[in-house]
Amino acid sequence: MKSVVCSLVVLLCVFRVGASEVVSIGTSTSLTSELLQEDRALMVYLPPSYSGTDKAFPVIYLLDGDVHRFTGFVGVLESLSTDTLGNQVQQAIVVAIPNTHRSRDLTPSTVPEWTFKDRVLDTFAQSGQASRFLTFLQQELFPFIEANYRASNRRLLVGESFGGLFAADVVLQAPTTFDDYLIIDPTALWDNNYLNRTLAGAGERPALDANVFFAFANNAHLGEIGLTNYQWGTTFATAIIRQATGTAEQHYFEHETHGTVAFLAWYNGLRALLSAQN
Amino acid sequence: MKSVVCSLVVLLCVFRVGASEVVSIGTSTSLTSELLQEDRALMVYLPPSYSGTDKAFPVIYLLDGDVHRFTGFVGVLESLSTDTLGNQVQQAIVVAIPNTHRSRDLTPSTVPEWTFKDRVLDTFAQSGQASRFLTFLQQELFPFIEANYRASNRRLLVGESFGGLFAADVVLQAPTTFDDYLIIDPTALWDNNYLNRTLAGAGERPALDANVFFAFANNAHLGEIGLTNYQWGTTFATAIIRQATGTAEQHYFEHETHGTVAFLAWYNGLRALLSAQN
């Protein structure tokens, strides 16, 4: 009841002519996960044509979804899916998932000490719980979103760095979970070439009934680490693209680094995967 | 008083743990213009580090500032000025100015029937009031913004198409109004080469003490109109860049058209003009 009163008062404030009104790009909410035994914050963006129609929309799940990334990604999507940039892309719902324990949820194997050629890159108190996080998505988050919003049956996953590693691992372990994968500069260096090792160990795989877009940055300034991450990443992408039956592309952004590539990846990836023509 | 009560209740709603909370990118408000004899809507974005500091921020004035363009532009700026894309750009305030009478406010000369080589491109009930709109900015909008927000003394102008024509005309008529100009695919075709005719008629001009970034699209699909708009636009840009003492660039986006170029123009223009290093 308190929440209903609050909502009414908020509406009254928002629609008072001449007053200051909030420009909203969505709502933040939270979901208590039985599986993860924790509350998970979420931010949900609804597209401009959501209200006033009864249409259902594709849902884009955005990993590492803090408020700045959510704002940036929504900005790209809203520009591309309105007159601003010529309605090139379909309107869609965005569900941003902020991290609680990033290395725990997004990495697919347990690696307390992450090394490359005897050099320690990082150490992690928690890692290797990607499959549990995927189960959370499948069994708790999707039902919550699909019960509360007009979601179509098309799901997209957007992940970068460890998030890209997670998305690539979903392609390996449970490819039909999503219809589209936007995989941005994934951490192919993880666990001594985990992605290609796992792919090689899987034997003959069925055709991949999903669309994939890989974006790679120029990390040559990092030396052998950067070059190897790209080499292993593009080897993996090439193999996956060969298995895909739909849109399947990889792009190398020569003028962007690991820390800057997300933007052009979103821009080009959304145009490729969610084109208004498809 | 009613507004204060409203604000308090909104705050209470927003911070209630577990409830749905609005994700805001700014506030919309309005200003009654004595000069224009109308109410002008505005949307104002404050950067993430605005609260909790007493720092002043550059102010970016965004023409054609409807809610979708505001959302898109803010998304680019927030990504570039936070960890999301490596803090490449300074944080800034954005003031988006939606149109009331677009052709009236953004065109610098009165052209009831706009022609190119005897072909009528468009007709306008109102045009040619750019200098009046500029006076509104200088005498009414800037004081309002600078009285209500912690604005530094740096002002940027972002305009596209007719908005780019307006921005280019400000460079000609009152170049010190802004410190930076991001001019996107301007309508150089306006009024039989208005920009270059005006520049040629101005005689010897002092050095331009401002930064300028011109973005041009590939409009070859429009035939002679598209090619001539580019030719006249780049001739103008080249002359202005020669006069500029600061950052001064022009970029041609071969894979973008008039209707899609804004995004890469914002991305590259903000990195050039508002680099965190400057």
Side-chain angles (χ1 to χ4, degrees), chain A residues 27 44-61 90-95 141-156:
Chain A
T27 53
V44 180
Y45 161 85
L46 301 177
S49 61
Y50 188 90
S51 63
T53 69
D54 56 4
K55 221 182 125 189
F57 293 86
V59 183
I60 303 173
Y61 291 88
Q90 297 172 49
Q91 296 196 359
I93 296 168
V94 178
V95 177
L141 184 56
F142 295 168
F144 173 79
I145 294 300
E146 288 159 17
N148 284 284
Y149 302 97
R150 291 200 312 276
S152 76
N153 59 9
R154 183 167 181 184
R155 298 186 194 120
L156 301 89

Side-chain angles (χ1 to χ4, degrees), chain A:
Chain A
M1 184 58 200
K2 187 172 169 192
S3 140
V4 172
V5 173
C6 262
S7 299
L8 284 172
V9 176
V10 171
L11 282 174
L12 286 173
C13 293
V14 168
F15 291 106
R16 229 156 55 83
V17 175
S20 281
E21 301 163 9
V22 168
V23 182
S24 164
I25 53 167
T27 53
S28 67
T29 184
S30 66
L31 173 66
T32 301
S33 168
E34 296 294 326
L35 180 73
L36 303 176
Q37 287 288 302
E38 63 187 8
D39 286 344
R40 295 298 302 222
L42 303 169
M43 280 172 284
V44 180
Y45 161 85
L46 301 177
S49 61
Y50 188 90
S51 63
T53 69
D54 56 4
K55 221 182 125 189
F57 293 86
V59 183
I60 303 173
Y61 291 88
L62 180 66
L63 299 173
D64 286 322
D66 65 67
V67 69
H68 304 314
R69 188 171 304 265
F70 178 63
T71 302
F73 186 84
V74 162
V76 179
L77 176 63
E78 177 139 332
S79 298
L80 281 169
S81 62
T82 59
D83 278 346
T84 311
L85 296 178
N87 301 294
Q88 299 173 67
V89 158
Q90 297 172 49
Q91 296 196 359
I93 296 168
V94 178
V95 177
I97 312 168
N99 294 312
T100 55
H101 298 281
R102 184 172 196 257
S103 63
R104 179 197 71 184
D105 289 346
L106 300 182
T107 62
S109 54
T110 303
V111 177
E113 189 177 76
W114 180 27
T115 59
F116 175 69
K117 296 197 173 178
D118 296 330
R119 180 176 155 191
V120 177
L121 301 181
D122 211 341
T123 59
F124 299 104
Q126 298 184 81
S127 59
Q129 299 292 311
S131 74
R132 192 174 70 129
F133 186 64
L134 176 60
T135 304
F136 158 70
L137 298 181
Q138 292 168 327
Q139 298 186 359
E140 297 183 316
L141 184 56
F142 295 168
F144 173 79
I145 294 300
E146 288 159 17
N148 284 284
Y149 302 97
R150 291 200 312 276
S152 76
N153 59 9
R154 183 167 181 184
R155 298 186 194 120
L156 301 89
L157 180 62
V158 179
E160 178 190 350
S161 190
F162 271 8
L165 172 64
F166 176 85
D169 190 51
V170 178
V171 171
L172 291 178
Q173 309 296 346
T176 59
T177 307
F178 296 90
D179 303 273
D180 305 81
Y181 295 86
L182 174 45
I183 299 175
I184 306 169
D185 223 34
T187 313
L189 216 59
W190 179 257
D191 192 7
N192 187 31
N193 206 358
Y194 166 90
L195 289 175
N196 288 302
R197 285 194 295 110
T198 306
L199 183 62
E204 193 68 29
R205 281 165 53 85
L208 174 64
D209 185 20
N211 305 306
V212 290
F213 187 102
F214 287 89
F216 293 102
N218 181 346
N219 298 314
H221 63 289
L222 300 177
E224 195 181 5
I225 286 175
L227 295 170
T228 304
N229 194 67
Y230 173 62
Q231 188 198 318
W232 289 353
T234 193
T235 298
F236 178 77
T238 302
I240 294 298
I241 286 168
R242 205 175 293 131
Q243 299 173 357
T245 57
T247 298
E249 302 178 13
Q250 60 175 318
H251 291 260
Y252 176 65
F253 294 92
E254 187 186 347
H255 302 294
E256 304 291 341
T257 66
H258 190 68
T260 70
V261 72
F263 214 69
L264 294 183
W266 298 338
Y267 181 65
N268 291 284
L270 283 170
R271 297 206 294 186
L273 296 173
L274 206 54
S275 162
Q277 271 78 57
N278 291 350

Side-chain angles (χ1 to χ4, degrees), chain B residues 115-129:
Chain B
T115 59
F116 174 70
K117 296 199 172 176
D118 296 331
R119 178 174 157 194
V120 177
L121 300 182
D122 210 341
T123 59
F124 298 104
Q126 299 184 81
S127 59
Q129 298 293 308

